[in-house]
Amino acid sequence: MCGIIGYTGRQNAIPKITAGLSVLEYRGYDSAGLAAAGNGRITTIKCCGRVKDLEEKLRQTEEIITTCAIGHTRWATHGGVTDRNAHPHTVGYVTLVHNGIIENEKEWRERLTLDGYHFSSETDTEVAAALLNRAYQKTKDPLQAIYGVLEILRGSYAFAMIFADRTDEIYAVRQDSPLLIAQGEDGCYLASDLTALVSYASTYCVPDEGVVVRLNQDGIFLCYKDGTQKEPIYQQSGMQHAAAERGGYDTFMKKEICEQPQALRAALNGREAEGLPDFSINALPTDFFDNVHRIHIVACGSAMHAGLLGARLLERDTGIPTTIFIASEYRYHMPPKEEGTLLIAISQSGETADTLAALRAAKARGIPVLAIVNAENTAIAREAAHVLYTHAGPEIAVATTKGYCTQVALLWMISLFLSNRRKTIAQDTIKERLAFLKESAPKAISAVIARESELSHIAERLDGHDRLFYIGRGRDYALAAEGSLKLKEISYVHSEAYAAGELKHGTISLIEPGTPVIAFCTEDALAEKMLSNVREVASRGASVTVLCKASLSSLFLQSAVVFPLDCENDETAVFAMMTAMQLIAYETARRRGCDVDKPRNLAKSVTVE
Ligand code: G6P
C-alpha cells in the first residue's frame, strides 16, 4: 500500500526513482509522482495511472537532472484517484511523500483552514505537509520542525521529506509503516521495501519508529530528538536481485505459480531432523508448543485461507482446538482469555496492518505469538516472539500464489511437529507425510502446471458468465475459498465459495440453467456426499466442473466435466488442487484481458486498518 522511494548521491536521481517506483508499483498503482530537488528549487511531476504514465509525462517535460529526489506510487485512502491527490505534496518549503493514514487529519484540516490555509487536495498528506511547513517557517530547523509535527499527528506513516532550501537532503521517519534505508556505492537510498533496494545495496537498516533519518552527501544518520545522531547499523539482505524480476515470464503471477515447487522445498528445507519436523534452525525451543492447549490463527485474505486449511489439519492431527480469525475482527471480539493459548499470525508481506493490530492485541493480553511471514524483517516478523519464514522469495504479483502455498506448507509442518511431540500420530506416519510434503507435493504441482492447456479449457467454460460458485467439503472447502478469492481478485468475476452441504440451505436458489459451479473433491470419505451436492446443482441446470482425485473421477463423470488430479495422498492432493485453482483464475483473467499482476483497486500489502 503506497510505495515511497528516495535517493540522494552522486548520480542522476530520476532514473533511480522511476526504476524504484516500477519495482514498488505492486504496493499501489492509482497514481505515481516524484519531486526533484536541485538548483534551489523543487520540481514535481505526478499523474494518475501507472509508473509508465509518469515516465511518459517525464519524457514530455524538459529533462530534469538532479542528484536528490523522492517518489511515490499511490493506493488511494483519503481522496479520489486524481492528479491533485497524487503525491508528492508541496506546501511552502516542504515537499513530501507518505505511506499511511493520518487519523486526526480532519481536526488539523479544519484548524489550518480557519488559519487561512487553502487546501489543494483532499489528502491527509497535504495536512502533514502544511503542518510541517508551518513549523519549518518558524524554526528553519528540519529536525525540530519534524519532531514538533510528529507530536501532534496521530496515525501511521512513513514520510520522505525534502525542503526547498536544502536541496541535497532527504529526511524520513516512520510509525507503523515500513521504511528501509541503505547506503549504496553512489549514494543513499530509502524505500518502502527491500525489493527496491537490492539492486543498489546488499545491506539495509530499518530505522526505529519515530526516529528521524537524514540522508545527504555525507551519508545516512539517525537523528534523535535530543540532538544526538548515530550511524545506522546495517544488516545483510537475504534477497537476490533476480528474484524480483519477471525472468522471461509474461507475468509475475505466472512466474510465481511456476516457482511453487522450489518455494515449497525452500519452505521445508533445513526444518527436519532424522526425517521428522524440527524447528531448531529457527531457534524455536523444542518445548515451545508443549503448554499450548488452544491455537488462534489470525490473518487476512489468502493468508486467512491458508489458516483455514491449517486449522483443519492442526485439529485433525493434534487434537488442539484451533480457530481461525479474520484479523480485522479479532481485536474487537477477542475470545475469553484462556491459559495455554498460542496465536499464529500469518502474513506474506509481514506488514498487513489488520494482522499487526491483532498480533499486538494478543501480546497485550499476554498471549505468545508465532508469526509465519515471507518478507524478511518486517513488522509482524519483528514483533512476534518467534517467526518462521516461508522463504518463498519476493512475491510481486498482487494475488498471492507461492506465498499462500508456503504458508500452507509451514502450517502442515507445525501440525506434524506437534503430532510428534504429542504422539498423536505414529512416528513412521509422520516421517512418511513429511516425505510426501518434501518430495511428492512439489512434483504434483509441476504435473498440474504441465496441464495448463486443459485448465484453460475449464476457464473457457466460464466465458460469458459473471458469477459462479465454488463448492467443497472439509479441506476442499478451505481450498475452494482461496480458489474463489483468486478468481475474484484477478478476473473480476463474482464468485462465492460455499461449503457444499450448506448450499441447499438457501443459496441454491441462485442456481439457474447454465450457472457455472466448480466443485473440489479430494477426500475419499466425503466423496459420496459431494456427489449428492454436485447432483443437486446439476439437476437444476448448473454447468458443473469437478476437480477431484483421479480415483474419484468415475463417480462424477455423469454429472460434470471432470478434471482428474493425480494425487495419491493428502499432501499431493492439496498442493495439486491449489495449483489447479490458481491456473483457472489466471487463465480466466487472461481470457478477459485483465491486468493479472495489478488487479484494479488492490494493493499487495495493506498497511492501513
Ligand atoms: C491484501 C492483498 C491480499 C492478501 C492480503 C493479506 O488484502 O490484496 O491478496 O492476501 O492483503 O496479505 P499478507 O501480506 O498479510 O499475507
Side-chain angles (χ1 to χ4, degrees):
M1 156 162 300
C2 293
I4 67 171
I5 177 115
Y7 169 79
T8 179
R10 292 181 295 283
Q11 306 274 318
N12 184 5
I14 302 301
K16 290 181 182 293
I17 297 296
T18 52
L21 288 179
S22 300
V23 174
L24 292 173
E25 198 172 22
Y26 72 102
R27 302 180 65 87
Y29 31 86
D30 291 337
S31 59
L34 57 79
N39 303 327
R41 67 194 174 97
I42 310 273
T43 310
T44 297
I45 312 276
K46 57 184 184 175
C47 61
C48 283
R50 303 288 169 92
V51 175
K52 64 175 168 28
D53 299 309
L54 175 70
E55 286 173 324
E56 184 53 38
K57 201 163 176 183
L58 280 167
R59 272 192 288 277
Q60 288 164 12
T61 321
E62 193 186 330
E63 192 184 8
I64 310 168
I65 306 281
T66 177
T67 54
C68 177
I70 55 176
H72 187 269
T73 175
R74 179 170 186 243
W75 188 79
T77 54
H78 280 70
V81 180
T82 62
D83 286 355
R84 276 186 176 196
N85 289 338
H87 298 213
H89 288 279
T90 300
V91 178
Y93 286 95
V94 175
T95 297
L96 55 78
V97 291
H98 170 215
N99 170 26
I101 283 193
I102 305 303
E103 286 166 4
N104 56 346
E105 74 100 22
K106 188 167 174 284
E107 171 196 333
W108 282 108
R109 181 177 280 269
E110 284 165 5
R111 284 169 74 166
L112 288 163
T113 305
L114 283 178
D115 290 349
Y117 179 75
H118 294 288
F119 282 92
S120 57
S121 79
E122 302 149 293
T123 63
D124 51 342
T125 306
E126 191 183 351
V127 173
L131 287 171
L132 188 54
N133 181 55
R134 196 177 67 169
Y136 186 67
Q137 277 177 325
K138 284 188 201 138
T139 62
K140 285 285 174 177
D141 177 342
L143 289 173
Q144 226 183 312
I146 296 168
Y147 274 118
V149 170
L150 295 189
E151 273 176 25
I152 57 172
L153 287 185
R154 253 196 351 261
S156 63
Y157 46 76
F159 287 121
M161 303 156 273
I162 49 180
F163 294 84
D165 52 351
R166 299 168 176 271
T167 51
D168 72 340
E169 274 187 347
I170 305 174
Y171 289 82
V173 67
R174 75 177 188 97
Q175 180 67 48
D176 291 336
S177 286
L179 175 72
L180 283 71
I181 46 179
Q183 180 69 59
E185 278 181 14
D186 56 10
C188 313
Y189 296 82
L190 69 86
S192 298
D193 68 47
L194 255 185
T195 47
L197 298 177
V198 278
S199 327
Y200 307 112
S202 56
T203 60
Y204 69 96
C205 164
V206 179
D208 284 341
E209 298 199 328
V211 175
V212 179
V213 187
R214 185 176 60 225
L215 302 88
N216 62 21
Q217 304 291 337
D218 299 328
I220 306 181
F221 299 92
L222 304 172
C223 305
Y224 293 87
K225 204 172 176 181
D226 63 7
T228 56
Q229 64 177 47
K230 267 198 229 156
E231 286 198 28
I233 298 170
Y234 295 100
Q235 65 187 94
Q236 197 66 35
S237 143
M239 191 183 285
Q240 302 297 319
H241 177 35
E245 289 172 356
R246 262 209 320 261
Y249 287 90
D250 288 349
T251 62
F252 277 107
M253 186 175 176
K254 186 64 186 298
K255 174 185 179 239
E256 289 157 7
I257 290 173
C258 294
E259 281 173 350
Q260 289 184 118
Q262 74 208 55
L264 177 51
R265 288 191 190 99
L268 306 182
N269 193 24
R271 290 168 168 156
E272 182 191 332
E274 293 170 19
L276 291 164
D278 181 274
F279 293 109
S280 47
I281 195 169
N282 305 112
L284 195 68
T286 319
D287 59 358
F288 178 74
F289 296 99
D290 285 2
N291 295 321
V292 173
H293 304 300
R294 180 171 289 280
I295 298 175
H296 293 168
I297 302 180
V298 294
C300 306
S302 298
M304 193 267 290
H305 291 149
L308 196 61
L309 187 52
R312 282 165 199 262
L313 293 170
L314 278 158
E315 281 195 337
R316 181 195 72 177
D317 292 347
T318 70
I320 302 174
T322 305
T323 315
I324 172 83
F325 294 88
I326 294 172
S328 54
E329 293 288 316
Y330 183 72
R331 76 167 158 149
Y332 304 107
H333 189 82
M334 289 182 82
K337 196 172 173 193
E338 209 179 331
E339 280 307 307
T341 301
L342 168 73
L343 185 97
I344 301 183
I346 311 172
S347 173
Q348 187 286 129
S349 64
E351 290 178 13
T352 303
D354 288 323
T355 310
L356 186 59
L359 176 158
R360 287 177 177 165
K363 273 175 77 174
R365 267 194 165 191
I367 299 174
V369 179
L370 171 69
I372 296 180
V373 170
N374 190 39
E376 71 180 64
N377 203 357
T378 42
I380 293 169
R382 285 193 302 269
E383 295 194 23
H386 291 280
V387 57
L388 296 177
Y389 283 111
T390 49
H391 300 308
E395 193 176 61
I396 309 296
V398 166
T400 182
T401 51
K402 63 176 180 172
Y404 167 79
C405 167
T406 49
Q407 288 161 357
V408 171
L410 274 192
L411 286 163
W412 212 316
M413 274 290 256
I414 293 172
S415 176
L416 290 178
F417 179 86
L418 274 159
S419 307
N420 187 37
R421 278 303 280 179
R422 300 189 175 210
K423 305 199 181 347
T424 49
I425 302 180
Q427 266 200 356
D428 284 349
T429 310
I430 294 174
K431 284 183 183 175
E432 187 187 45
R433 289 189 185 172
L434 186 56
F436 286 152
L437 275 183
K438 280 178 58 192
E439 283 142 34
S440 317
K443 287 185 194 144
I445 295 173
S446 301
V448 173
I449 293 170
R451 294 170 67 195
E452 191 189 350
S453 60
E454 288 172 64
L455 290 162
S456 175
H457 288 311
I458 292 180
E460 203 178 328
R461 289 168 55 75
L462 306 181
D463 281 355
H465 294 277
D466 55 11
R467 63 187 185 89
L468 67 131
F469 291 92
Y470 277 82
I471 57 172
R473 283 172 175 258
R475 63 162 187 248
D476 288 320
Y477 167 64
L479 285 161
E482 175 59 6
S484 170
L485 177 63
K486 213 79 307 175
L487 188 84
K488 279 184 281 202
E489 280 182 311
I490 61 171
S491 74
Y492 317 139
V493 178
H494 181 233
S495 94
E496 209 173 329
Y498 245 82
E502 178 65 9
L503 201 72
K504 60 183 176 292
H505 297 294
T507 307
I508 200 163
S509 64
L510 296 175
I511 301 288
E512 294 172 348
T515 305
V517 173
I518 300 181
F520 292 174
C521 185
T522 60
E523 295 198 54
D524 291 329
L526 301 175
E528 285 185 358
K529 290 276 188 292
M530 265 312 286
L531 179 61
S532 305
N533 301 138
V534 163
R535 283 185 176 146
E536 280 156 17
V537 288
S539 60
R540 286 164 177 85
S543 155
V544 189
T545 307
V546 175
L547 279 73
C548 63
K549 255 167 99 166
S551 54
L552 296 173
S553 299
S554 55
L555 208 59
F556 295 103
L557 269 174
Q558 275 197 335
S559 325
V561 167
V562 174
F563 182 85
L565 293 161
D566 288 318
C567 46
E568 67 283 4
N569 51 52
D570 288 357
E571 290 72 15
T572 44
V574 163
F575 290 94
M577 184 67 90
M578 81 172 65
T579 310
M581 56 86 167
Q582 291 164 348
L583 284 170
I584 292 173
Y586 180 81
E587 295 292 334
T588 307
R590 297 283 278 185
R591 294 181 72 78
R592 289 174 178 246
C594 301
D595 183 342
V596 177
D597 283 342
K598 297 193 182 79
R600 79 178 168 219
N601 302 341
L602 300 186
K604 182 78 182 153
S605 60
V606 181
T607 52
V608 293
E609 283 181 61

